[in-house]
Amino acid sequence: MKKLFTCVLLVALCLTAQGQQPNEKLRQLEDYLHQQGYNVKHTQSNSKGKEGVRHTYQVFFSENTFAPSFVQAPSEEVRQMVLSKHDSIRTERVKKLEQTIDSIRVTFALLGKQASESYMYEYHKEDADTIKYSLAFRQNDDSIHSTRIKNNVYFSNAREVASFDYYKSHEFNHQGDVMLGTYIHWCDESNGIAYDDMKPFDIAAFEALIQPVLKPVKKLKGVKTYPVYWRHDKGFDDDVVHGNLSQKTTRQSMYGDNSHTGLTTGTYYFIPNEYKKEAEALYKQLDSISYNYINSHPEQPYEYDFSKRIPVMNPADLLHGISYEDSDEYFLKWTLDDAGYHILFLTSKGEIWIPREWRKLKSYINGKLEYRKEK
């Protein structure tokens, strides 16, 4: 597979070098990473205070060769079978990562010839590996401004940047290797709309688009919807303690100072785990509607953050309609836990606060918790 991809990539890069943007070539690599089973996270935003849109693609890699710390089995023979199966799976996963790194290496090496500035650093010794790659493409005819700190390179005025950092080290306590990698690619695209000429995110128009796809889901047995009312008035001294999650009554999601006022309303949808197929389909539908909406309305400030996998445990934004000229903010959030799928459609006036026990609450008002009475 590695040799096949490498050959295909070489041909594609050579044939398209003259007529296509580098973005498209890096996107080929990102599509390949997705096909290999890695989660390619796509973020897009037009709220950076300048004309245009920034696209960001991220992939995180993590593997290890640790042996299981404890395996309980009815006999030594069964135990050895379990260990052997674990070794086989682990070996395949590590092999896949090594092949993936080779494909990334090929891409960066070939694009380095076309980039305004490129950097490739590798260090290998015994059980330790360090890889750092960077590519930058300039804005029009401007020169690239870069700063190098040790083996890291930073670009201040590029139009497009891609980087790959990888580390492998031996963990003696676990008697195995740990492998960590990060791939990031971002590109700025001009849309001709100055930030001062933008308009507030149209919450009513967006929610009118998503209602039809929510109707079939609400008819499923066990699916529930609840109103949201979370209020945090100015001057209320909450017990938020950053870095000490176990003592929090509520979680502050946006700012470091807990004196800000905020009122969040909306609807909370719960879909039981038994409807995994329907929930996954809905996730894709809402993503498609969100992505089409922001691209059809570049005049409305937003942040779009799509992951191929639904985030686990804590709610994460799929779409954030950003406040503009003191307008309300909008949040479409998803999360998955042992009980099922949770979707939040929220409108926030001021700062958004998310109560720690939001799954169970009827309302939260300045620290007073009112729990729902389930039938």
Side-chain angles (χ1 to χ4, degrees):
M1 181 65 187
K2 176 180 68 175
K3 292 182 178 179
L4 176 59
F5 173 75
T6 301
C7 292
V8 171
L9 182 63
L10 281 167
V11 172
L13 288 174
C14 291
L15 289 176
T16 60
Q18 300 299 321
Q20 295 183 359
Q21 295 295 323
N23 183 19
E24 296 185 15
K25 299 168 190 177
L26 289 167
R27 291 295 291 128
Q28 288 180 8
L29 173 63
E30 289 144 15
D31 288 342
Y32 169 74
L33 295 177
H34 171 60
Q35 293 167 13
Q36 291 298 100
Y38 295 105
N39 187 28
V40 180
K41 189 174 184 180
H42 175 203
T43 303
Q44 181 175 315
S45 178
N46 66 347
S47 64
K48 304 303 180 183
K50 58 183 179 180
E51 293 184 15
V53 176
R54 171 161 290 188
H55 303 267
T56 304
Y57 304 89
Q58 301 180 67
V59 185
F60 299 99
F61 308 90
S62 177
E63 295 293 348
N64 67 71
T65 60
F66 303 160
S69 58
F70 178 75
V71 176
Q72 187 176 12
S75 67
E76 181 62 22
E77 181 181 4
V78 173
R79 180 176 178 275
Q80 291 300 323
M81 288 177 61
V82 172
L83 289 173
S84 177
K85 184 174 180 62
H86 177 272
D87 288 343
S88 177
I89 295 173
R90 181 185 61 194
T91 299
E92 286 301 313
R93 289 175 64 90
V94 171
K95 181 180 178 182
K96 183 180 77 169
L97 178 57
E98 291 172 346
Q99 292 177 346
T100 298
I101 292 172
D102 282 344
S103 298
I104 294 172
R105 181 181 287 112
V106 170
T107 303
F108 275 77
L110 290 172
L111 283 178
K113 300 175 183 178
Q114 304 171 24
S116 303
E117 187 171 329
S118 63
Y119 177 78
M120 297 186 71
Y121 169 85
E122 294 198 35
Y123 174 79
H124 307 280
K125 182 178 180 180
E126 297 176 352
D127 296 319
D129 294 329
T130 299
I131 299 175
K132 289 181 176 292
Y133 300 152
S134 296
L135 295 167
F137 300 87
R138 63 189 181 186
Q139 295 273 14
N140 302 318
D141 294 329
D142 295 341
S143 297
I144 289 287
H145 297 162
S146 62
T147 302
R148 180 173 170 177
I149 302 176
K150 293 184 178 180
N151 292 317
N152 295 305
V153 181
Y154 304 94
F155 305 99
S156 60
N157 67 330
R159 174 183 55 83
E160 183 170 21
V161 171
S163 65
F164 176 63
D165 289 350
Y166 172 77
Y167 303 91
K168 175 185 174 183
S169 61
H170 187 73
E171 295 288 334
F172 291 97
N173 291 338
H174 296 283
Q175 291 298 306
D177 297 329
V178 60
M179 292 150 279
L180 300 172
T182 303
Y183 169 89
I184 300 178
H185 166 214
W186 60 260
C187 181
D188 289 335
E189 174 190 4
S190 176
N191 62 8
I193 301 175
Y195 190 76
D196 290 343
D197 295 330
M198 299 184 78
K199 299 178 181 179
F201 189 85
D202 194 333
I203 297 173
F206 177 76
E207 290 214 320
L209 293 175
I210 64 177
Q211 289 306 312
V213 302
L214 293 173
K215 286 183 179 180
V217 175
K218 288 191 288 186
K219 296 178 181 179
L220 299 173
K221 185 177 180 180
V223 171
K224 298 180 180 180
T225 63
Y226 305 104
V228 170
Y229 190 90
W230 307 330
R231 198 175 90 205
H232 185 279
D233 292 333
K234 185 175 181 180
F236 169 62
D237 187 13
D238 210 327
D239 65 350
V240 172
V241 180
H242 293 279
N244 194 349
L245 298 177
S246 63
Q247 295 183 14
K248 287 185 181 180
T249 299
T250 181
R251 179 171 69 87
Q252 185 179 20
S253 63
M254 294 296 288
Y255 302 95
D257 181 356
N258 67 357
S259 63
H260 296 275
T261 182
L263 172 62
T264 300
T265 58
T267 306
Y268 160 36
Y269 280 69
F270 170 72
I271 305 175
N273 259 328
E274 63 187 278
Y275 298 115
K276 177 180 178 180
K277 181 179 178 180
E278 291 82 356
E280 297 282 352
L282 177 62
Y283 182 63
K284 292 179 180 178
Q285 286 179 300
L286 290 176
D287 165 63
S288 178
I289 293 172
S290 300
Y291 193 59
N292 289 334
Y293 183 83
I294 61 175
N295 288 320
S296 299
H297 297 279
E299 78 286 355
Q300 299 178 19
Y302 67 84
E303 288 184 355
Y304 162 86
D305 196 342
F306 178 66
S307 173
K308 297 291 184 182
R309 300 170 188 167
I310 296 175
V312 178
M313 298 308 294
N314 291 319
D317 294 345
L318 171 59
L319 178 63
H320 175 194
I322 296 174
S323 177
Y324 182 79
E325 299 293 336
D326 295 324
S327 65
D328 292 348
E329 294 197 79
Y330 183 76
F331 299 86
L332 168 49
K333 294 176 176 285
W334 274 80
T335 190
L336 168 65
D337 60 20
D338 293 337
Y341 299 81
H342 309 263
I343 319 171
L344 293 167
F345 302 93
L346 307 175
T347 297
S348 179
K349 297 178 183 293
E351 182 179 347
I352 181 172
W353 290 71
I354 300 180
R356 181 175 174 80
E357 297 184 273
W358 59 270
R359 292 172 176 84
K360 304 175 182 179
L361 294 179
K362 182 178 180 181
S363 67
Y364 172 96
I365 303 175
N366 296 330
K368 181 180 179 181
L369 310 177
E370 183 177 357
Y371 292 90
R372 289 193 306 268
K373 296 179 180 179
E374 300 289 353
K375 296 180 180 179

